[in-house]
Structure formats: C-alpha cells, structure tokens
Amino acid sequence: MSTENLPQSPEQQLRKPRVAVVFGGRSSEHGISVVTAGAVLRAIDRSKYDVLPIGITADGRWALTADEPERMAITGRRTPSVEELAESTEGGVVLSVDPGSREVVYSEPGSVPKALGEVDVVFPMLHGPYGEDGTLQGLLELSGVPYVGSGVLSSAVGQDKEYMKRVFTSFGLPVGPYVVIRPREWDRDPAAARKKIVDFAGEHGWPLFVKPARGGSSMGITKVDDLAGLDEAVAEAQRHDPKILVESLLRGREIECGVLEFEDGPRASVPAEIPPVTAHEFYDFEAKYIDSAAGLVPAPLSAEETAEVQRLAVAAFEAAACEGLVRADFFLTEDGTFVINEINTMPGFTPISMYPRMWQESGVPYTELVDRLIQAALRRPTGLR
C-alpha cells in the first residue's frame, strides 16, 4: 500500500520531518555501519529535520541510542558497536507494521511501553546482510515508511554478487570471469567443489580472489596464489557467507563512480581511482578503513574514459532498478575497456569514503548529499512503483 496520500494531522503538517537513522546490524560490517551512521548524524541539518538514532545490536535487538556521533568513530584500529551506545541493555524499539501508522514504540521489561512518536523517513545506514540486502527494506515496505536507497529487489541484487553479475550480463554490461560455490556443493563434495575452482584457475590463471558472495567492506576476501592456500581462503570467506564467489585477477586500474538520484533521474559523479596500495595485497578492509588509503578524485582519465565509466555506472543503476544512490566499481583493463566489478547500494559515508568524496568534487557537498537522499526518499511512495 502506498503511503503517499495518507492524511496528515495538523501536528504532522507543522512539525519538521523526522528521520530515523538505523545502523549497526547483524552482519560482520556492524562496526563500519556505526561509523557511517555517525558521519550522517553529524551532517543532518537539525534545523530542517528531527532525528531519532536507532541501533541494531549484533544479535538483532533494536535499541534506542544516544544522539552522540562523536562516540561513533574508529578509535585506533577498533570500530564502535551499538552495544556501547545503547541506552539500555534490555530495552527495545519496535516499528509498527500497520501501514496507516508510522509510530515507534520503546519498551523495557516490566515497564509500560513508551511512544516515541512517528517517523517520516528511515535512513538505513546498514551494510551487508540483514539490512542492506532487502530484508530491512521489506519491513519498511510493510510498515509503509519511506526510506533512503534502493527497494527490496534492487537491494537483494546489489548484495548478492552472483545475481548482480547475472543481471548485468543480461543487460549487456561487461563483467569479469567468476565461478560460484554454493554451500551444499562444498559440504556435500568438497573435492568436486575444489576441482571446480581449480578448473576455473586452469582456464583463467592464478591468482584468484575468494570472497563471500553476499559480503561487503572487503571483508573475508583472500587473494590465492595457488592451490595450497585455497581451503584456508574458502574457510575465511565462509566465516561471512556460506556461499562464495571466486574471481580471476583482472589486471588494470580500479575506478569507482557514484550515482545519485536527482529530480530528473540518476546522474553520475566524477569518477575516482583507487591507486595500488603498497602496504596491502589489494584494497582490503584494513586499507579501506583503518589505514585510510587515499583515492584520487577525480580519477586521471581522458574525457572519453570519464564519459564511458559514467555511462556504465548509470546503466548499472538502471539495470538493477536502483533508487537513491549507488557506488559502481570498475576495472579499467590493460586493453582500455571497462569491466564492472560490483555495485554497492549503500556505500560507506565515513569521512574517508569515496562516494561522498566523488560527489563533493562534483559540486554536491556532504550536507547537501545527505539532504538530497532524504528528500528523494520523502518524495518516493512505498509499495509498487
């Protein structure tokens, strides 16, 4: 059911829109989600919006948290957690699934539930499964609450790298070689599954990258140079996801491009380049978030290359039926062609994240970027669209 035409009370018409920033979650990207949410909380214009921070603990409890973004930063090499920010170790936040009501209720054992008021839009700063993959989006659709970012199907496609690549291929977008190992294949006959990977390496060469099929933030990825390291790499990927993706090495430059939904449709940012990271074998989690690897914004590309990667980024956005925002990641191969590696439907918003940096260079500063995303979500009805 669409909530676009729900009648508003006089109070709703007078008050500022209320934004629930939801963060944390059950995935291995919990800490990065908290960091990202902290940056967004700092950027939201409080003269324009009321804000309700809601954290989801690692075990799935929705917790009321303090609006203290200064506590939501990486300290040393450690990411924060919702458990540290929650106002109670037992209290829980519940969002109504009645599409005629957007009421949020807080309750603690032995206490009378407390109404926290209605929410006009949710900014889901969740990365990985149980948040970025369509699960939270489905809940919000049932609740009739608008939200920032892509819908159920697009979020699921954007999370599952196998089906993402299948969608891109069906739309004629260039993807690199890959093979998928499903959990039942490895559990039922690991020798056959291993042979499937070895045969893939025989066709495309070593090294290979073994990664969780539905992971993010470069977590659980291992560069494998030969058969000796394969089982350990599979085990590491399966710590994050029982389904794994194996990709061949694409030699070339790593290029990223942001897509943002404007009133007249999606537009691409200036692209960025991730230069080789000498302290790391590839652009992994440590390089991305802990060691603050510096990307080049804008990327040193020709005008023709820039136009092509921007075209492909918007085409990927459209192919997966995305909404709001996407970061599209590419390889510019040695023969001068672009290959799309993946899209991220809720890219990082940390101070060093590439998506905000690309839009800053494109003339959309951070606070305006956050505002545009909220406004786009408020314009968009829930339900079929």
Side-chain angles (χ1 to χ4, degrees):
M1 171 181 173
S2 171
T3 61
E4 185 178 31
N5 299 314
L6 282 177
Q8 288 189 318
S9 66
E11 179 191 358
Q12 287 175 311
Q13 294 171 4
L14 291 173
R15 66 176 174 78
K16 294 182 287 187
R18 198 169 197 210
V19 182
V21 178
V22 181
F23 59 94
R26 294 164 56 190
S27 83
S28 54
E29 297 175 78
H30 177 103
I32 288 302
S33 171
V34 177
V35 175
T36 300
V40 169
L41 285 169
R42 282 190 292 272
I44 292 178
D45 184 351
R46 304 308 176 94
S47 69
K48 191 172 181 179
Y49 304 102
D50 286 329
V51 177
L52 177 66
I54 299 174
I56 302 178
T57 64
D59 61 3
R61 178 173 63 92
W62 288 44
L64 192 62
T65 68
D67 186 5
E68 299 177 357
E70 65 277 2
R71 295 173 56 197
M72 301 166 71
I74 294 175
T75 305
R77 306 181 78 83
R78 181 179 172 276
T79 57
S81 70
V82 169
E83 285 78 0
E84 298 166 353
L85 301 164
E87 294 192 348
S88 166
T89 58
E90 296 183 317
V93 174
V94 177
L95 179 66
S96 171
V97 292
D98 176 1
S101 169
R102 298 172 179 174
E103 189 80 16
V104 176
V105 175
Y106 177 75
S107 62
E108 292 193 46
S111 300
V112 176
K114 175 185 177 183
L116 300 178
E118 292 193 343
V119 166
D120 297 290
V121 62
V122 169
F123 205 133
M125 301 310 308
L126 293 148
H127 301 305
Y130 312 109
E132 191 183 350
D133 59 349
T135 50
L136 177 63
Q137 290 74 14
L139 172 63
L140 295 173
E141 292 286 352
L142 289 173
S143 302
V145 180
Y147 53 92
V148 170
S150 290
V152 176
L153 175 63
S154 304
S155 296
V157 168
Q159 187 65 42
D160 192 313
K161 295 177 177 62
E162 175 194 359
Y163 288 99
M164 180 197 306
K165 292 176 186 291
R166 289 181 182 273
V167 167
F168 290 158
T169 300
S170 72
F171 277 82
L173 297 173
V175 302
Y178 69 96
V179 66
V180 176
I181 303 295
R182 303 180 190 283
R184 61 178 176 271
E185 291 181 81
W186 192 264
D187 295 340
R188 188 180 302 161
D189 193 344
R194 193 179 297 110
K195 183 179 184 301
K196 184 177 176 180
I197 299 173
V198 172
D199 289 346
F200 176 79
E203 181 178 358
H204 299 286
W206 300 90
L208 303 175
F209 288 91
V210 179
K211 60 177 64 175
R214 294 162 291 193
S217 295
S218 300
M219 291 179 133
I221 301 178
T222 305
K223 181 183 177 185
V224 181
D225 294 313
D226 52 43
L227 182 59
L230 184 58
D231 282 16
E232 184 178 348
V234 169
E236 172 59 22
Q238 288 182 331
R239 286 182 54 243
H240 303 269
D241 184 354
K243 182 168 81 166
I244 65 169
L245 189 80
V246 180
E247 296 175 330
S248 63
L249 172 67
L250 291 176
R251 300 188 184 279
R253 299 160 63 187
E254 292 189 51
I255 306 295
E256 298 184 351
C257 190
V259 180
L260 178 64
E261 183 181 354
F262 285 76
E263 290 82 356
D264 60 351
R267 302 181 199 172
S269 70
V270 300
E273 179 171 4
I274 307 300
V277 186
T278 56
H280 303 264
E281 282 205 274
F282 59 96
Y283 194 46
D284 61 3
F285 176 84
E286 291 274 318
K288 192 176 286 187
Y289 294 108
I290 303 299
D291 293 340
S292 305
L296 304 175
V297 186
L301 300 171
S302 69
E304 293 77 13
E305 290 170 334
T306 296
E308 176 63 3
V309 76
Q310 289 175 327
R311 181 189 73 81
L312 289 170
V314 172
F317 183 96
E318 298 281 28
C322 295
E323 295 169 297
L325 71 164
V326 149
R327 193 194 70 230
D329 301 344
F330 298 86
F331 291 104
L332 177 55
T333 61
E334 293 175 339
D335 66 1
T337 59
F338 283 101
V339 174
I340 186 165
N341 183 38
E342 65 182 52
I343 58 171
N344 192 313
T345 57
M346 188 51 71
F349 270 80
T350 66
I352 62 169
S353 294
M354 298 306 298
Y355 185 85
R357 289 182 58 194
M358 288 187 286
W359 279 109
Q360 175 80 33
E361 190 67 25
S362 303
V364 182
Y366 193 91
T367 53
E368 181 184 337
L369 178 62
V370 170
D371 185 69
R372 280 189 172 276
L373 290 169
I374 294 171
Q375 288 297 317
L378 286 168
R379 289 193 303 269
R380 189 187 310 127
T382 54
L384 297 177
R385 52 191 183 274

